[in-house]
Amino acid sequence: MNTVTPNAKANLQKLFGSTNLPKEDLEFFTNYANFAFDEVLAHSNLEEKQRLLLILAALTAIPAKEEFETMLKAALNAKVEPVAIKEVIYQATPYVGMAKVADILSLTNKVFRQRGIKLPLANQGTTTRENRYEKGLQAQVEIFGEGMRSARDKAPKDKKHISEFLSSNCFGDYYTRRGLDLQFRELLTFVYLISMGGAEPQVKAHVQGNLNMGNDRAKLIAVVTALIPYIGYPRSLNALGAIDEVAGNRS
């Protein structure tokens, strides 16, 4: 039966301005619509704009450019701020690499121009070449604790520069930017990692980082739930396993 549920229809209309689904694969898209825009939403109580940003983060990390474009248009229809969208993409850079990000930025700029959004957007950076290491280190400390201050000193000589990169580039260049707060940026990092797969040690570290920032077990499970249609069950179950290992299993 190619029947879209009433809840799915209402959400499709709200986000896309239409309930029409591609006729070439109507069965596939009906299943997707009923699952992603009805069942999943019933079990993931995220605020709509936040949920859309998290989905865009996942689609950037995979990457899934066509679906990203579709959900980008939905996010703009839902009045998500262009600056927040760009920051979600920029924040992905140290985790998914600049090649994926450059492709997604090109696509995003095309859609922004189509929507009459003036480019470039206002700069959101807050650091200089001189202070990015210290500001990045401070962000690390806020997320992971005071032990981060000694990480560079403890690193082997041949890897010390990587520790410096993490503070100055990963955290200094990205976590310190305006447009999104630090708590949400750490949640985004969790999303990038679980969406890519193959980064289980880093997922566990950032589960702890999220707990430290106030994104509790319930919030992390709600995020995984919202992303199941986009990242699939193996990566979602791996993420849930990491949450159980770090935050405890309450079953």
Side-chain angles (χ1 to χ4, degrees):
M1 291 291 290
N2 297 323
T3 303
V4 180
T5 68
N7 283 342
K9 278 186 177 180
N11 285 311
L12 290 172
Q13 184 65 43
K14 179 181 179 182
L15 290 173
F16 303 103
S18 172
T19 60
N20 293 331
L21 299 174
K23 291 183 172 57
E24 297 85 352
D25 293 288
L26 187 58
E27 186 176 18
F28 168 82
F29 283 103
T30 299
N31 287 340
Y32 163 63
N34 287 340
F35 183 56
F37 298 102
D38 187 351
E39 288 180 85
V40 166
L41 297 187
H43 294 279
S44 181
N45 60 342
L46 300 172
E47 186 273 327
E48 182 178 68
K49 292 182 180 180
Q50 186 178 91
R51 176 174 57 85
L52 291 167
L53 288 172
L54 294 169
I55 290 171
L56 291 178
L59 296 173
T60 298
I62 293 172
K65 291 191 286 186
E66 288 195 17
E67 188 63 16
F68 180 93
E69 182 172 357
T70 297
M71 295 308 297
L72 171 59
K73 292 174 181 177
L76 292 171
N77 291 343
K79 308 300 182 186
V80 177
E81 289 294 328
V83 165
I85 292 170
K86 276 290 185 84
E87 288 305 307
V88 164
I89 303 168
Y90 283 20
Q91 178 73 21
T93 309
Y95 296 100
V96 310
M98 64 78 57
K100 291 180 181 179
V101 168
D103 283 349
I104 294 294
L105 280 176
S106 178
L107 188 159
T108 301
N109 289 338
K110 180 192 76 173
V111 173
F112 278 10
R113 285 191 291 267
Q114 291 171 348
R115 294 294 184 99
I117 297 169
K118 186 177 179 180
L119 296 171
L121 301 180
N123 290 343
Q124 301 300 316
T126 65
T127 61
T128 65
R129 299 297 297 177
E130 291 73 30
N131 67 17
R132 60 201 276 268
Y133 175 82
E134 290 300 330
K135 288 197 171 186
L137 179 58
Q138 181 57 41
Q140 287 179 287
V141 168
E142 289 185 44
I143 297 169
F144 297 109
E146 288 292 331
M148 296 306 301
R149 295 195 188 278
S150 60
R152 180 177 64 170
D153 294 336
K154 292 179 179 178
K157 185 177 180 180
D158 60 351
K159 296 194 293 184
K160 199 175 294 291
H161 65 289
I162 304 298
S163 180
E164 293 174 354
F165 286 173
L166 282 167
S167 294
S168 60
N169 176 243
C170 181
F171 286 86
D173 288 343
Y174 296 99
Y175 279 80
T176 61
R177 293 173 60 82
R178 294 182 292 265
L180 298 171
D181 63 30
L182 190 62
Q183 182 182 27
F184 191 66
R185 287 183 185 275
E186 180 59 9
L187 192 60
L188 288 172
T189 297
F190 172 73
V191 170
Y192 305 135
L193 294 171
I194 68 172
S195 301
M196 287 188 297
E200 280 68 32
Q202 289 78 21
V203 172
K204 292 174 188 177
H206 284 278
V207 168
Q208 186 61 62
N210 272 282
L211 296 174
N212 295 345
M213 293 299 293
N215 295 320
D216 62 11
R217 174 187 168 89
K219 180 64 171 283
L220 294 176
I221 291 176
V223 169
V224 175
T225 302
L227 297 182
I228 289 173
Y230 307 97
I231 69 175
Y233 285 98
R235 292 175 183 180
S236 299
L237 293 173
N238 286 346
L240 293 173
I243 294 168
D244 283 346
E245 185 170 334
V246 177
N249 188 336
R250 297 182 184 176
S251 61

